[in-house]
Amino acid sequence: MDNLARALPRIAGFALASVSFLAVTAAEAKEITIWCWDPNFNVAIMKEAGARYTKTHPDVTFNVVDFAKTDVEQKLQTGLASGTADALPDIVLIEDYGAQKYLQSFPGAFAPLSGTVDYSGFAPYKVEVMTVDGQVYGMPFDSGVTGLYYRKDYLEQAGIKPEDMQNLTWDRFIEIGQQVEEKTGKKMMGLDPNDAGLVRIIMQSAGQWYFDKDGKANVTGNPALKAALETVGKIMSANIYKPAAGWSDWVGTFTSGDVAAVVTGVWITGTVKAQPDQAGKWGVAPIPKLSIDGATQASNLGGSSWYVLESSAEKAEAIDFLNEIYGKDIDFYQKILQDRGAVGSLLAARGGAAYEQADPFFGGEKVWQNFSDWLAKVPSVNYGIFTNEADTAVTAQLPALTQGTPVDDVLKAIDAEVSAQIQ
Amino acid sequence: MVHARRGSIGRYYDVNGWLFVAPVLGLIGLFMIYPIVWSLWMSFQSGRGMMMKFAGFANIVRLWNDPVFIKALTNTMTYFVVQVPIMIVLALILASILNNPRIFGRGLFRTAIFLPCVTSLVAYSVLFKGMFAPDGVVNSTLAALGVISSPIPWLTHPFWAKVLVIIAITWRWTGYNMIFYLAALQNIDRSIYEVARIDGVPAWARFTHITIPLLKPVILFTTVISTIGTLQLFDEVYNLTEGRGGPSNATLTLSLYIYNLTFRFMPNFGYAATVSYVIVVLVALLAFFQFFAARERDK
């Protein structure tokens, strides 16, 4: 009885303390909602970033929502158009090709970060795609620097050594493809005729885009686009590719071991490495080169950045979080590079230890060092605001190209479609 | 007489009556009339995203010069012209076979044929995509039967992709139409068939001269419904082609084009609204012609 009487005030006090503690946290706790795609890449990386920030800011928690990329874009566009902020997240991932489109067609929807973030530390081309009228929006994230991933074992069977893969032209690449099919029965690469990604890679490697510096259509008089279409046409008529219907099908062409090479952005590394039984069998080389003026072996495909919504209730926390982790945390960039193959665009991060390391999956090659060297050589182009439209026009003409229509006629048809769409 | 007329006019002034229907009228106004009027107003505007400006008939002029719109319109009309007749005839034949009481397992077949239209749109599209993949079950079956020597590029060739979409929508909606015919067939007096049989009318003639004429109102109904459905075709194409309407825009429909204009391309809500009014006009015209054609034969 005595004991209980003595204990009661203490219990009451403890209960009161915990209630008030809960009330305080409830008042101060902030949840930042983030929309992004790709569970193996962006989602996982954002969760890692959130966990790092929560360590130093226990009152901030993160809700990373995983959608398909098209769903993120559709939901964002619907939400922005409806003007109801409740439907939108605090932070959203936007692919670089679409950044200007959102910034220009929904003015005031995104929070400007210039003044807060030190943009001089980032790759300039990433900052350029998020600048409108001198204001910079968004936090630059990953680069889409491209590489040629190839199966050493298949190429060896075809009599090709890794050294032979280093300074390829596209014509040589196609010859090798024919040799590989002859000797191993495998196709050289997977190709989705509905995806103009390869055309974009080849075009940008020669420093051109669908649009010129002023954003005007650059189709009929574009030697890089012409050469890119010719190259894809040659790949198709040489039949060194396995046709794929859609993204997952395309991924399946190399995860299943059906093809000998993949030409795409560095962000595919995580997917390639997701097949542990293929460890040691892969190598990475720079992409083949066009035989025209201005051709390089470096290009870019995709890459995206984080944007904070102006309407967000947690705007200040969201900006601080991005600046703290993505803007400064060098160690974070080492971790996501090793775990996920994410080549960030914070230049200071490139001096980190992870970039020096040899990757056993790629037979001990220093692939990250290579990728960051190539990143510095990517020709910068103006993506404009109509890349999706131009891309659709290109895929619409790819079958005509394989049926023997002259490239100049194909370019005219693309130009007609692009001109009708951009207004 | 006078009294009755005053009564019917008086109904219009009955406040209680109006109060009863007011909530519904309000909701209809808010969720139907307002969007319709607003989208019509929007179709005369143009611009990027939220930066819309009044553009007069610019969007309608743009339709004529837009190769993608022409392509989407042609595709949609191709689906309509090829698929609707196939489906209606197939549904009619299936319904009259399954209406025969001597068929074994009638209920089972009826259910099996109706089942596709209650399955999830996405699930069946994904299933079709797998079945018609280059090394999918359809190609391997056809190859095993010796029908084809190399796999048919169902999803990567413009012609075959169109065929695949037609197969998919026929599979899904034939059973739905069949149910209407089965219900209508129950209402036809069996004695008419008995008399015909006694008179020695062959089965095919009974089908064309008794069944079809008596089902005419239902056939008209299903044709109009199918017309509307086909002109609004979206889900199948979206899911089979990952939202692109490819290859080479060969499967792009008007609805998918509206989606692209709104969500994938530089958002142009005005132009997208114009394209959606094209569908409205087409559905109205086609339905009118179908009613007109059906009425003519009544004479």
Side-chain angles (χ1 to χ4, degrees), chain A residues 70-71 73-74 77-78 80-82 100-102 104-107 192-195 242-249 258 385-386 388-389 391-392 395-397 399 403 416-417 420-423, chain B residues 46-51 58-59 62 65-69 129 133-135 153 155-158 238 240-242 244-249 257 259-269 271:
Chain A
T70 47
D71 292 343
E73 288 166 353
Q74 184 210 321
Q77 214 149 313
T78 330
L80 291 173
S82 72
Q100 285 288 326
K101 170 178 98 170
Y102 288 105
Q104 289 187 27
S105 54
F106 298 101
D192 179 357
N194 253 325
D195 187 340
K242 187 179 182 203
W247 179 258
S248 50
D249 209 26
D258 283 348
I385 48 179
F386 294 109
N388 270 335
E389 283 86 338
D391 230 29
T392 309
T395 48
Q397 294 303 324
Q403 283 152 19
E417 191 173 323
Q421 293 285 345
I422 57 172
Q423 35 186 290
Chain B
S46 185
R48 295 167 187 175
M50 301 313 284
M51 327 267 279
N59 284 334
R62 182 175 169 181
N65 302 319
D66 183 352
V68 187
F69 167 74
K129 221 181 138 183
D135 40 13
L155 287 155
T156 46
H157 187 279
Y238 182 87
L240 285 172
T241 66
E242 302 207 338
R244 289 177 175 271
S248 182
N249 286 343
Y257 188 44
Y259 174 88
N260 283 344
L261 285 172
T262 331
F263 300 120
R264 226 158 66 73
F265 295 165
M266 170 62 86
N268 190 332
F269 304 113
Y271 187 52

Side-chain angles (χ1 to χ4, degrees), chain B residues 1 25 91 141 185-186 191 208 226 243 253 282 290 292:
Chain B
M1 262 323 256
L25 284 181
T141 309
L185 283 169
Q186 316 286 313
S191 57
T208 51
S226 307
T253 61
L282 278 178
Q290 281 158 4
F292 187 74

